[in-house]
Amino acid sequence: MIGRLHARRSDSSTRPLGHWTSLQVRARSEPQDRETIIQASLNALFGVEHIIMNLRSTAAPFGVALSIGLALPWPGLSLADSDSDSDSRSSSASCTISPQNPTVTPGGSVAWSANVSGFSRTPNYNWSFNGGNPSSSTSQTRTVSYPQAGTFATTLQVSRRGTQATCTTQVTVRSSDTAPPGGGTPPNASINSTSQNTLDVGVDPYTVGPVDEAPKPDSANSLSPAAGTGSSGYQVVAINDLGMHCGDLDTRISSILPPFQVLLAQVIQKGAEPKVLGPSQAQVTYSAASNPNDPILSAPLDPATNYPFTGLTDSGDVYKTNFWTVAFQAYDPFYPPGILTAFYDPNDPSKNVDLSLPVPNVEDLYIGPDGLVNSGDEFLSAVQHAMPGIGNPYVGNDAEVAEEHYGDKPFFVNFPFGYVANGVNWFEGAGVPFAAFDDFGRENPYPLVRVQAKNSSGTTVLATVDTVLPISGEASCKNCHGSRFDMPDSPNAGSANQTLIDAGLPVEDSTSDPLVGASVPLAVSVEYATDINVLRLHDLLHGAAYRDTDGNATACNGMSTDTPNGNANCLANQALDQGRSVVCQVCHYTPALDLAQFGPLGGDAANPDTAANGRVQRVQQSNSRVLHMAHAGTGLFPAMPAPTADSADTGLPGNQAAREAVLEQTCYQCHPGTNTKCMRGAMANGGMVCQDCHGDLTQVGDDFTANVSAAQPFPAGADLTKRVPWANEPGCGSCHTGDANNNLAGSTGTAVNGYDTNGNADGIRLIRAYLSGDTNAKPIVPANKRFAENTVPASFNGFANPGAGNQKLYRVSTGHGGVMCEGCHGATHAEWDQDGSPLKNDNVTAGQLQGHSGTVSECSTCHTTSAMSSDTQGGPHGMHLVNDSRFWKEAHKDLAKRENGKAGGGTCGSCHGSDHLGTVLSRSPVTRSFSVEGSNRTVQAGDPVSCGLCHSVNKSFER
């Protein structure tokens, strides 16, 4: 690791170096204490007050190299971050080594080069290459090979006639395999059972091995359940609600979002007419699970970042999160006063670990026992959900109960866009606190849980399925706000820090973290430093306008080179000097953290909120708006090109490579991203990118708080004709605008998908959810609702839904038989499709439900098909029976004759096309073979089913 120089007074403030007579250098040291403090008393040693130190090359794992030279007093001389181009430099001799901290594989080589200054003539070079061949050199440049794995110091001494300089760095020699940096051998399993750190609990998972799992379900498990996984009479469908939840690697300075995943599950009693069971008939539990084919197991080790083992410290300890050390004070404002203390111990964070933030039950809060909205019998109830290993971290894996069941789910019913999502009838485990690292330190964003449906007493397993509860720590500001030192490969690294440098404020890097390399991995320290840079920039740009929850002015000021954290009102001061982590949404509203659905609270003196509890949201624009609009104005993020015509060979837009490159430069700079591939489902595989659904930065940021300010606080300043983040989102119907004979493809402004990835002509589905030229990127709402989410009904039990007539969100919609849409199609951003990485873990669920990946299309998943009518079209979206010989041998004949006389071929033509040749809507999800009229027929996976598969197309038109 690289050391960093900090000059600090006894009161811990940072001062210019020229004002100091002693200083401390924090550097990596022996594993026992991890931190060596080197003190130089300048008066005692040199009789002067000023030194120059080059500390960017402290690579030796057990020490630090220090170069000290004499200099004349320079008023205000300070040690700025190396991102600065305006550092003052002494004329004394100095050296640097290039490259800094390289990583190679065994047998690889490094071309070392010396860079020197302050010598009037060519100096003498004296290199020492630990672990290298050769081991020394006297040339300015030298190529050295490294045969063995390890971390080795490279030291350079440069001298001429009494003038000398010393510098050092290190080389890491690491195999390009899947071995972690701690030296242990991980088992061939990725499982996430606890969010506790091994240093805190004293357990080594590399010694005890992976936790035991509940009995594993087979493929198509409900048809022939594995022992202990249930009976063939029941099914359980389970999913996460969003397809991705973001979290922090480090929360000491600030927190984006808490560890928080949401499990949704429905228990189904199978039959000709299946029944969705409620809490009087069943319960749902979850425990940690693994996938032997998890893509993370074969991910090669990146020697520069340790990915995927980014959760391991240098000593091989597994780090999960430090959330609970700051959780109480950071997230208390999101609850009415006194509420969080009923669930979290504010004085002993160790009692809170592996427990989620409390989540209020909004059905109790807004509907109550009588089933009527806001009738007066509502009450506050809340639950917490735990990690399965809470009782015995890294050893236990106890099934935890999903504590809530919703019959109907209110969604911001007191706001103009609100409604009751009626009839959801699901079990919910909200807030399960997964961290971004598995039990062996891998950064796996797609951990699995084993969901068991049990009888109401919990004594008998009825059905089992595995599902992903995603968590990514890749959501970060580091690509622009991190130091160039920490982010050498990011094209925008340090770009956001120039404003700090211009103001004479320090820019932090990972070596600023007192825990770097000790109890936290490098990635955590990078985030720690990045968060400091973000807060200081926010203070510098906006601190003069700060207010408190009562609306009083609380200006942040006093920021200088001497006091970069400013006064007590500054966010950086709050985090670094007061030890209080900052959560942006305390001031900038987001529905994502408004668990009680109160709306923006606090900050308006004329409209005090007793429940605000520190929030300052009425006078500030939303979190979504300030982030997207501020970044849109930087000029760093290129425009996403519209999709060009599809290639028949790939089914992707002709400019897809360029579009994916822009995606990496835009959304994936902040959102989970390069490793995580948050958008990984059917739409992504078909060539869609984030902007095709949501629009660009300015379109996303143009939301209901555009006019909100201290002069126009919420609600007066709100414009609810504009987008409300998390509430107004594109739906399935925005691209799936109808069937083969009735859709919006080709209408003015639509972008039509030309081919699917199998080369089948499409021309039915859209590839962009809004019309070209629409500056608001307003989602298309189709007239044909065959594939669209439910429309919000006019009322719910006499309550007029404010959002009546709008489309419900996909994640709260239900469809065929009352089954949630996500239960058959997969989660938002992760719709089940082809079984490839990174969707492989998500597709485990589909495979266990029906025997193959992709949208659930096998009727036998929930139905006893033999008891059903052979010519039914009562399936999802008007489907007939699938993979049932009664249908293909006989029933379809009468059905076809009945529909042939209707426009477009009637219901058959809706998917197979009016020409009966098949469309992308009639593709077979798997290869099927069957016998018709004495002949064997086969349809390949991905091929549209045509009437000509079994007989002449002309015959299919007979009536």
Side-chain angles (χ1 to χ4, degrees):
M1 293 300 301
I2 301 301
R4 178 178 169 87
L5 178 63
H6 288 281
R8 299 196 179 277
R9 301 185 312 189
S10 59
D11 63 0
S12 298
S13 64
T14 302
R15 292 285 303 274
L17 184 59
H19 295 187
W20 292 88
T21 57
S22 73
L23 52 85
Q24 295 179 333
V25 179
R26 295 186 179 272
R28 294 274 304 288
S29 183
E30 298 287 345
Q32 293 175 323
D33 60 15
R34 289 290 165 185
E35 216 171 53
T36 296
I37 306 299
I38 303 175
Q39 298 190 4
S41 177
L42 308 185
N43 280 335
L45 294 177
F46 303 108
V48 296
E49 293 186 347
H50 305 284
I51 68 170
I52 296 169
M53 306 184 71
N54 176 3
L55 197 59
R56 298 300 291 178
S57 55
T58 62
F62 302 118
V64 57
L66 204 58
S67 298
I68 302 180
L70 302 181
L72 296 174
W74 286 1
L77 174 65
S78 63
L79 291 177
D81 183 90
S82 65
D83 289 59
S84 172
D85 295 325
S86 58
D87 282 359
S88 298
R89 301 295 186 208
S90 166
S91 59
S92 296
S94 66
C95 67
T96 58
I97 299 174
S98 179
Q100 280 285 303
N101 305 303
T103 301
V104 297
T105 56
S109 60
V110 178
W112 297 110
S113 177
N115 305 296
V116 299
S117 63
F119 293 91
S120 59
R121 295 187 181 183
T122 302
N124 299 313
Y125 300 95
N126 187 6
W127 292 91
S128 174
F129 306 114
N130 289 351
N133 184 19
S135 61
S136 62
S137 176
T138 57
S139 301
Q140 184 176 6
T141 62
R142 181 67 182 183
T143 297
V144 179
S145 62
Y146 292 87
Q148 302 295 328
T151 301
F152 304 103
T154 293
T155 303
L156 171 65
Q157 291 183 335
V158 190
S159 62
R160 183 174 178 84
R161 294 186 177 181
T163 301
Q164 63 181 11
T166 301
C167 47
T168 183
T169 186
Q170 69 181 14
V171 57
T172 300
V173 185
R174 185 175 295 148
S175 300
S176 293
D177 54 23
T178 57
T185 301
N188 193 38
S190 178
I191 194 165
N192 196 336
S193 65
T194 179
S195 291
Q196 302 187 50
N197 305 322
T198 58
L199 281 174
D200 297 331
V201 299
V203 177
D204 180 9
Y206 282 73
T207 300
V208 301
V211 297
D212 292 333
E213 300 180 35
K216 180 181 178 62
D218 292 328
S219 183
N221 191 64
S222 65
L223 300 181
S224 182
T229 62
S231 74
S232 59
Y234 294 89
Q235 182 64 275
V236 57
V237 294
I239 202 71
N240 71 88
D241 63 334
L242 290 175
M244 181 49 62
H245 279 262
C246 303
D248 305 284
L249 301 184
D250 185 73
T251 60
R252 288 169 292 170
I253 302 300
S254 68
S255 176
I256 298 173
L257 288 169
F260 195 102
Q261 282 67 45
V262 178
L263 170 68
L264 306 178
Q266 290 179 306
V267 183
I268 299 169
Q269 185 175 6
K270 298 178 68 172
E273 295 292 334
K275 298 178 182 178
V276 180
L277 305 182
S280 64
Q281 303 156 303
Q283 70 171 233
V284 167
T285 65
Y286 60 91
S287 58
S290 64
N291 174 17
N293 297 313
D294 193 323
I296 204 69
L297 298 177
S298 58
L301 188 73
D302 183 340
T305 64
N306 290 336
Y307 179 84
F309 289 94
T310 41
L312 289 180
T313 66
D314 286 352
S315 57
D317 298 302
V318 176
Y319 169 90
K320 292 278 191 158
T321 179
N322 50 25
F323 170 75
W324 284 280
T325 63
V326 303
F328 178 79
Q329 57 84 13
Y331 284 90
D332 184 58
F334 295 96
Y335 298 87
I339 293 295
L340 199 55
T341 54
F343 295 88
Y344 274 174
D345 187 329
N347 301 311
D348 187 357
S350 66
K351 295 180 180 179
N352 306 323
V353 293
D354 268 355
L355 276 175
S356 75
L357 288 170
V359 180
N361 184 303
V362 291
E363 188 170 23
D364 293 338
L365 191 60
Y366 290 101
I367 297 179
D370 66 1
L372 303 176
V373 175
N374 296 334
S375 65
D377 70 336
E378 296 80 18
F379 60 98
L380 175 63
S381 68
V383 299
Q384 288 177 290
H385 287 97
M387 290 296 292
I390 185 172
N392 197 1
Y394 297 97
V395 178
N397 184 20
D398 297 329
E400 297 289 332
V401 176
E403 298 285 356
E404 293 183 300
H405 179 274
Y406 281 96
D408 308 291
K409 188 154 191 180
F411 185 78
F412 290 89
V413 293
N414 293 329
F415 293 87
F417 56 86
Y419 52 89
V420 176
N422 55 301
V424 297
N425 200 14
W426 65 46
F427 294 88
E428 184 168 316
V432 186
F434 274 90
F437 305 111
D438 74 6
D439 289 357
F440 302 97
R442 298 182 187 90
E443 188 177 341
N444 189 351
Y446 303 117
L448 289 153
V449 292
R450 186 147 297 152
V451 180
Q452 294 178 311
K454 300 179 180 179
N455 62 354
S456 58
S457 62
T459 57
T460 303
V461 176
L462 305 178
T464 304
V465 74
D466 294 344
T467 196
V468 165
L469 291 188
I471 167 63
S472 176
E474 200 176 2
S476 176
C477 306
K478 64 184 179 182
N479 285 325
C480 296
H481 294 269
S483 166
R484 291 192 182 101
F485 165 65
D486 286 328
M487 302 300 298
D489 297 326
S490 173
N492 297 325
S495 59
N497 297 330
Q498 189 59 46
T499 302
L500 295 177
I501 295 169
D502 293 343
L505 299 176
V507 174
E508 307 298 338
D509 61 42
S510 57
T511 61
S512 305
D513 183 3
L515 302 182
V516 62
S519 59
V520 300
L522 175 61
V524 174
S525 296
V526 171
E527 188 166 301
Y528 172 90
T530 298
D531 289 347
I532 295 174
N533 296 336
V534 170
L535 294 191
R536 283 179 178 157
L537 182 62
H538 192 282
D539 288 337
L540 186 64
L541 297 179
H542 307 291
Y546 287 176
R547 291 179 172 228
D548 65 14
T549 191
D550 297 319
N552 302 311
T554 54
C556 161
N557 51 48
M559 298 180 71
S560 68
T561 304
D562 291 356
T563 56
N565 301 331
N567 66 3
N569 296 326
C570 298
L571 300 180
N573 186 290
Q574 176 181 319
L576 286 166
D577 297 338
Q578 302 171 47
R580 298 168 51 227
S581 180
V582 172
V583 180
C584 306
Q585 296 92 328
V586 169
C587 293
H588 298 285
Y589 176 77
T590 175
L593 288 178
D594 188 6
L595 301 179
Q597 303 179 5
F598 287 166
L601 296 177
D604 181 11
N607 192 7
D609 297 305
T610 57
N613 196 26
R615 278 175 276 185
V616 194
Q617 297 169 334
R618 288 184 181 269
V619 295
Q620 305 287 352
Q621 295 178 342
S622 75
N623 196 58
S624 176
R625 177 174 174 81
V626 296
L627 286 176
H628 288 102
M629 297 303 281
H631 289 86
T634 63
L636 293 175
F637 304 98
M640 175 61 69
T644 58
D646 283 359
S647 163
D649 294 330
T650 65
L652 302 175
N655 61 342
Q656 188 63 11
R659 282 160 49 83
E660 291 183 357
V662 171
L663 179 63
E664 291 287 343
Q665 299 171 58
T666 53
C667 304
Y668 280 176
Q669 287 292 296
C670 306
H671 294 271
T674 300
N675 293 323
T676 302
K677 302 296 184 188
C678 170
M679 188 178 177
R680 61 197 184 277
M683 290 185 289
N685 290 337
M688 297 184 73
V689 295
C690 304
Q691 291 90 333
D692 292 327
C693 280
H694 300 285
D696 61 22
L697 285 167
T698 56
Q699 289 168 322
V700 173
D702 187 22
D703 74 6
F704 76 109
T705 62
N707 299 320
V708 168
S709 65
Q712 273 192 303
F714 181 89
D719 181 358
L720 290 174
T721 66
K722 294 188 173 185
R723 172 180 177 268
V724 177
W726 300 85
N728 302 126
E729 302 291 349
C732 302
S734 298
C735 288
H736 300 271
T737 61
D739 52 47
N741 294 321
N742 180 10
N743 57 71
L744 297 179
S747 300
T748 302
T750 58
V752 182
N753 192 56
Y755 296 88
D756 71 4
T757 53
N758 294 309
N760 299 308
D762 190 339
I764 299 171
R765 303 169 301 174
L766 306 184
I767 196 172
R768 191 176 56 213
Y770 52 92
L771 300 177
S772 61
D774 183 354
T775 57
N776 296 318
K778 184 177 180 180
I780 294 169
V781 178
N784 185 339
K785 307 292 187 182
R786 182 184 290 269
F787 300 113
E789 291 86 351
N790 311 120
T791 299
V792 176
S795 63
F796 170 81
N797 291 351
F799 169 74
N801 279 316
N806 295 334
Q807 299 294 123
K808 290 183 181 178
L809 289 172
Y810 172 66
R811 61 187 172 91
V812 299
S813 290
T814 56
H816 175 63
V819 176
M820 53 187 174
C821 296
E822 290 187 313
C824 288
H825 292 272
T828 307
H829 306 118
E831 312 82 18
W832 295 325
D833 195 38
Q834 61 191 17
D835 192 21
S837 179
L839 195 64
K840 190 175 287 289
N841 281 9
D842 298 274
N843 260 328
V844 165
T845 311
Q848 292 172 354
L849 290 176
Q850 64 179 349
H852 60 79
S853 60
T855 299
V856 173
S857 56
E858 308 296 331
C859 304
S860 56
T861 301
C862 299
H863 292 266
T864 304
T865 54
S866 60
M868 300 171 65
S869 170
S870 62
D871 66 350
T872 181
Q873 286 187 294
H877 312 296
M879 276 289 294
H880 53 71
L881 288 176
V882 172
N883 201 25
D884 190 310
S885 61
R886 295 176 303 145
F887 178 76
W888 76 63
K889 285 185 176 180
E890 297 296 335
H892 84 283
K893 299 176 183 178
D894 294 334
L895 182 61
K897 289 178 180 179
R898 187 168 69 239
E899 297 297 318
N900 273 340
K902 299 178 182 178
T907 54
C908 299
S910 295
C911 291
H912 295 273
S914 60
D915 58 7
H916 294 190
L917 296 178
T919 73
V920 292
L921 303 182
S922 65
R923 293 170 299 179
S924 177
V926 292
T927 298
R928 303 189 195 274
S929 296
F930 42 89
S931 177
V932 178
E933 298 177 352
S935 299
N936 291 326
R937 299 287 188 268
T938 298
V939 58
Q940 298 296 325
D943 284 353
V945 175
S946 160
C947 294
L949 177 67
C950 298
H951 50 69
S952 70
V953 174
N954 287 337
K955 185 177 180 179
S956 70
F957 285 99
E958 294 177 356
R959 296 172 57 184

